[in-house]
Amino acid sequence: MQHWWQVAIRNSRARPGRTVLSTLAIALGVGAVIWVTGAYEFIRQSVSEEVWTWIGRSHLAIESKFGESGTVYQSLVEEVRSVPHVLHSTARLKETVEAVFGDPATEAEPETASVDAVGIMPKTEYVFRDHDKMLLAGGLPAPGDRRVAVIEQGFADEHGLGLDDTLHLREGPFAPTFAFRVIGLVERRRVRRLQQPTVLVPLVDLQAMKPRDGTARVTKVDIILDDTSPKTLAIAAAAVRKVA
């Protein structure tokens, strides 16, 4: 070992430039490995959180054939509860809307940002997803709450929002603006340019922002079963498909 150490010292003195370049190359290589590993872990956690937030504990789900771009009848939430082995059901509506900053009534061209508004049924939502685990401050919508919102801490920091502040949302540039009181701040990893900020609001308020044909619609109906054996899943899935 001492022999090789002496050879290394002699070589570094004989060709210092090459030694410096070799050291830099090694340092850059190690740095690149660390960066790629860190980026991969960040993306993995972001995707895992996104999947868990959307799917939760759901065993079965009813969605449009158009996925998040389509809707199904909200009445299915109640109808599937008569299906054998269905223990819980809930619904969500996801819409891309505009967040408006400043006073939309006085500013001709206020600052806006595109966000994903997710409407939930507070009475049944928390059986499916543990939103409180991501809660940093404030609380979550309770049954009966209206015009309240839970936003990401990063989104709040970007636009100077805090608890009890007012967040204005609208369907588009020429649509009416709805005011929501910020009651909660959550932590959410977001891969920039790929994911928009998420705003959690009561389902009825989001439906009021974008009325359809007079029939209440949702993006997704989630279902939890009392038994998750393959046989029961198959029976329940067939019965739910028949109802839907």
Side-chain angles (χ1 to χ4, degrees):
M1 184 68 184
Q2 185 177 1
H3 168 72
W4 292 112
W5 180 250
Q6 290 172 345
V7 170
I9 293 174
R10 284 200 299 270
N11 286 339
S12 65
R13 288 175 178 172
R15 296 182 179 179
R18 186 174 66 176
T19 302
V20 171
L21 289 175
S22 299
T23 304
L24 287 174
I26 293 171
L28 287 172
V30 172
V33 170
I34 294 173
W35 183 87
V36 169
T37 303
Y40 169 79
E41 180 61 18
F42 177 84
I43 294 172
R44 186 191 67 79
Q45 291 185 14
S46 299
V47 172
S48 296
E49 286 182 7
E50 188 72 14
V51 170
W52 173 252
T53 300
W54 189 245
I55 296 177
R57 299 185 181 90
S58 179
H59 298 137
L60 296 173
I62 303 173
E63 292 181 287
S64 164
K65 63 182 179 180
F66 301 108
E68 292 185 12
S69 300
T71 58
V72 296
Y73 291 120
Q74 183 180 335
S75 57
L76 287 169
V77 174
E78 298 296 333
E79 292 176 25
V80 296
R81 287 176 185 165
S82 62
V83 172
H85 301 292
V86 170
L87 195 59
H88 301 287
S89 61
T90 193
R92 317 185 97 203
L93 176 63
K94 186 175 182 180
E95 299 280 9
T96 298
V97 300
E98 274 189 353
V100 185
F101 307 101
D103 188 351
T106 59
E107 297 182 33
E109 295 184 5
E111 179 190 353
T112 62
S114 183
V115 300
D116 286 333
V118 177
I120 63 169
M121 302 174 69
K123 186 177 180 180
T124 51
E125 169 71 14
Y126 307 128
V127 176
F128 288 80
R129 299 166 189 88
D130 297 324
H131 294 281
D132 55 334
K133 289 185 177 180
M134 297 190 292
L135 198 63
L136 298 175
L140 298 168
D145 281 355
R146 296 296 303 272
R147 297 291 185 90
V148 296
V150 175
I151 63 177
E152 299 173 15
Q153 180 68 65
F155 178 72
D157 293 340
E158 288 172 15
H159 301 284
L161 294 171
L163 293 178
D164 292 323
D165 284 346
T166 299
L167 173 66
H168 297 280
L169 299 176
R170 65 188 183 188
E171 182 187 351
F174 306 106
T177 301
F178 291 73
F180 291 81
R181 181 171 63 90
V182 178
I183 63 168
L185 300 173
V186 294
E187 179 183 24
R188 179 172 177 260
R189 293 180 178 87
R190 183 164 21 111
V191 181
R192 294 190 179 275
R193 299 180 183 276
L194 297 180
Q195 291 174 286
Q196 296 188 131
T198 296
V199 177
L200 207 64
V201 299
L203 174 61
V204 288
D205 291 327
L206 186 56
Q207 288 171 330
M209 287 180 60
K210 194 170 184 178
R212 287 186 165 85
D213 58 4
T215 305
R217 290 177 173 268
V218 294
T219 308
K220 183 169 180 273
V221 174
D222 286 308
I223 299 167
I224 288 179
L225 304 178
D226 59 7
D227 180 9
T228 57
S229 65
K231 182 178 179 181
T232 301
L233 277 170
I235 293 172
V240 168
R241 190 177 294 110
K242 186 176 180 180
V243 170

